[in-house]
Amino acid sequence: AVVSTQSGHYGRDLVVFADWYNGPLVKHIKFYDENTKQWVVLQGGGSNVPALNKLLAAHGVILGDKVWHGKFSVGPHAMEYGSGTSLLSFPKKKKVPTATLR
């Protein structure tokens, strides 16, 4: 409610930095725990994208569940997008930067 009031009524901008979440992918990610000397399967990972989508739906924003990564440039600055999600829906009158990722 606070987010909707602040961004809608007061006209404040909303910036969301979100990691990724993909249920089927998380089941296949494991890492070696040096302390226990065992392979551990993740019990969770990434962001709570479903909850973020619930929050952002009132603003016409929907995040996807595919995990993307890659390199891109903004002007003269080269950057790397380590991993994250993408936008499935965004208000048509708003601007969003784009990049081709894998």
Side-chain angles (χ1 to χ4, degrees), residues 88-102:
L88 292 182
S89 177
F90 201 77
K92 294 183 191 285
K93 294 182 180 180
K94 303 293 182 177
K95 293 182 182 180
V96 64
T98 62
T100 301
L101 302 172
R102 299 177 282 152

Side-chain angles (χ1 to χ4, degrees), residues 25-46:
L25 181 61
V26 168
K27 293 177 184 176
H28 297 287
I29 298 176
K30 60 183 177 179
F31 67 94
Y32 187 73
D33 185 341
E34 290 288 338
N35 295 318
T36 64
K37 307 292 187 209
Q38 295 179 337
W39 285 96
V40 178
V41 176
L42 292 178
Q43 299 301 312

Side-chain angles (χ1 to χ4, degrees), residues 4-98:
S4 294
T5 301
Q6 292 294 317
S7 62
H9 183 69
Y10 295 110
R12 295 200 171 119
D13 292 331
L14 175 65
V15 177
V16 175
F17 294 93
D19 201 351
W20 58 271
Y21 179 81
N22 180 297
L25 181 61
V26 168
K27 293 177 184 176
H28 297 287
I29 298 176
K30 60 183 177 179
F31 67 94
Y32 187 73
D33 185 341
E34 290 288 338
N35 295 318
T36 64
K37 307 292 187 209
Q38 295 179 337
W39 285 96
V40 178
V41 176
L42 292 178
Q43 299 301 312
S47 294
N48 190 345
V49 171
L52 287 170
N53 278 340
K54 191 173 182 180
L55 174 73
L56 298 172
H59 303 281
V61 177
I62 299 173
L63 301 174
D65 67 351
K66 186 169 181 180
V67 181
W68 295 90
H69 64 92
K71 295 180 180 180
F72 65 97
S73 296
V74 176
H77 306 285
M79 298 177 204
E80 184 167 346
Y81 189 70
S83 69
T85 190
S86 62
L87 293 168
L88 292 182
S89 177
F90 201 77
K92 294 183 191 285
K93 294 182 180 180
K94 303 293 182 177
K95 293 182 182 180
V96 64
T98 62

